[in-house]
Amino acid sequence: MFAAAKQAFDNAYAPYSNFPVGAAVLTPEGEIYAGCNVENAAYPQGACAEAGAIAAMALSARRRIAEVLVIGGGAGLCTPCGGCRQRLREFACAETLIHVAGPEGVRASFTLAELLPHSFGPENLGSSK
Ligand code: THU
């Protein structure tokens, strides 16, 4: 997962923030899908790395996320933004591990429930997916 996320990080298109992000999701089937942030001159149109990884996974008809790894720059922890926590929530469960890394390696790990407590998900709509 780290290698896939690092390759995505290296290919990120982030000319406005200069903050590249790479993400990788692991499915229960053992496949890894990666994404990078893709910014836009019309700033709100930019997309997060996690959204790209999820889109790649969905394209392969996979619907469950077993584990996540996100690589960001800077000295701090590049935890998924609020919107991406909810995006991950759609396909993950409370115990799903989200590893937060820098280019040098993993810095911290959280469960989805730690990052998005008392979350709203498909079950709230009576959906079993
Ligand atoms: N970014 C991500 O790709 N994922 C996150 O969860 C945090 C933020 C991107 C969006 C933007 O291109 C850059 O990081 C700075 O916010």
Side-chain angles (χ1 to χ4, degrees):
M1 260 200 300
F2 185 87
K6 178 62 166 57
Q7 187 177 37
F9 174 87
D10 290 338
N11 289 333
Y13 178 72
Y16 305 108
S17 70
N18 288 312
F19 192 85
V21 182
V25 297
L26 171 71
T27 68
E29 294 84 4
E31 295 136 348
I32 292 170
Y33 299 95
C36 63
N37 54 337
V38 182
E39 297 184 347
N40 193 282
Y43 294 171
Q45 301 306 322
C48 282
E50 295 89 332
I54 290 170
M57 181 194 78
L59 185 60
S60 289
R62 296 307 188 197
R63 296 290 184 260
R64 299 304 305 161
I65 293 175
E67 218 164 311
V68 181
L69 191 147
V70 181
I71 300 180
L77 293 179
C78 182
T79 48
C81 76
C84 285
R85 294 177 195 201
Q86 186 67 37
R87 288 189 181 93
L88 293 168
R89 166 70 176 86
E90 185 72 16
F91 303 104
C93 65
E95 298 77 27
T96 302
L97 280 176
I98 298 170
H99 306 289
V100 179
E104 79 292 347
V106 172
R107 296 177 180 175
S109 299
F110 305 92
T111 64
L112 180 61
E114 287 178 303
L115 297 182
L116 194 67
H118 307 290
S119 66
F120 184 91
E123 307 79 20
N124 293 86
L125 299 177
S127 168
S128 60
K129 290 191 292 177

